[in-house]
Amino acid sequence: MALVNEHFLKLPGSYLFSDIAKRVNAYKVTHPDTPLIRLGIGDVTCPLPAACIEAMHRAVDEMADAKSFHGYGPEQGYGFLINAIIKHDFAPRGINLSPSEVFINDGAKSDLGNIGELLRWDNSMGITDPVYPVYVDSNIMCGRSGVLNEEGKWSNVTYLPCTAENGFVPAIPDHRIDLLYLCYPNNPTGTTLTYGQLKQWVDYALANDTLIVFDAAYEAYIREPDVPHSIYEIRGAKKVAIEIRSFSKNAGFTGVRCGYTVIPKELTVATLNEERIPLNPLWNRRQCTKFNGTSYITQRGAEAVYSADGQKQVKATIDYYMENARIMREGLKSAGLEVYGGVNAPYIWLKAPRGLSSWKFFDKLLYDINIVSTPGVGFGPSGEGYLRLTAFGRREDCIKAMERISDWKI
Ligand code: PLP
């Protein structure tokens, strides 16, 4: 008899986007002729940079000839992409990495979800709240999150609230957390930590033997000077942090699938006998067993992100999204709304007025001015009373939405 992993049965349904779809469909049934503006979308909309398209075309042609054909590649990724990553993303910031510390993946989500396999199930864990739901859900699957209590929180998870009251800067806990997820720039709040604030977390991790999983999927959106692009800009971070990045949101690879994970050689965790074990060879072993690499064509496309043309094209796309963000921030502010994020991230975090709940405000936006958003409570208990809007839409939609908001009696 095959017995099920019962932890999967504890997983709450992923209702957020289906609940949104249900409410939007109900609206459309009663208002079939009203066009909706969708500002809830978390996917990019601009096409791939031309440099990536050209590189992938060339790679396809290589595959057509036995002399240049590529079969299985290295599980860790091709050297040409790893070297380009080190040269462009880390060396200019004074971070030295060796090629064996970088693992190419098929997008950040897989590694964010799988990395916990390297750790015992009974480590304690912490997340900032609200946050990208993959961190908690992937830990529920192995039993690490514990059980769900009446407040909708998991018993073995320390929630670090990030709200307007604390400026979206999580307070350092007064107890030890073994495994901590940090996501900066943050999805969904669009907020960041300064060098000084991130340093406090690295110092906490060094003092408490905490492993930090640092999700930098939105690094390319950072504009302000006092915001670290990599956790390894902070002294000592290589001893305590894994960093995971993605080509999804800078180069539009959401449908192509490529990212990378950095596991420094100095990063170790403990056995019960307090022996230190480096995670890099463990992850390498895991990948060689369970992963056969990201496709050659995809990796050639990702390499082109770092070409001179690729860099210009990526910048143009990010500038386009960030101009959307600026238009939205200003429109929302001049309508008297409390707005956060959207400066170093493509996400805008909007406080519901008059103490409305996330879903009440969602419905009001939908019914009054036909805008689709994402209720903040879907990202964690501290997201209640907020909405997420994204800048990934089309310019004309952002402008039209702000016109509607400026005439709106909230
Ligand atoms: N991390 C965060 C914070 C995200 O918001 C997303 C996607 O929306 C991902 C990771 C996943 O990225 P990828 O497309 O590389 O799997």
Side-chain angles (χ1 to χ4, degrees), residues 42-43 105-110 112 131-132 134-135 183 185-187 215-218 244-249 253-255 257-259 347 388:
D43 199 352
N105 60 37
D106 60 353
K109 192 183 202 174
S110 310
L112 285 164
V131 86
Y132 185 53
V134 169
Y135 315 143
C183 171
N186 186 261
N187 176 15
D215 182 350
Y218 297 95
I244 302 188
R245 292 210 196 171
S246 171
F247 293 100
S248 283
K249 305 296 164 86
F253 273 43
T254 52
R257 311 304 305 143
C258 194
Y347 294 118
R388 189 191 74 174

Side-chain angles (χ1 to χ4, degrees), residues 17-57:
F17 290 97
S18 61
D19 283 354
I20 293 172
K22 269 188 219 146
R23 288 182 191 229
V24 169
N25 287 338
Y27 179 82
K28 276 167 56 185
V29 169
T30 45
H31 306 77
D33 301 322
T34 309
L36 295 175
I37 301 179
R38 292 177 189 273
L39 298 183
I41 177 170
D43 199 352
V44 293
T45 54
C46 292
L48 296 181
C52 301
I53 295 287
E54 285 154 22
M56 285 196 275
H57 277 301

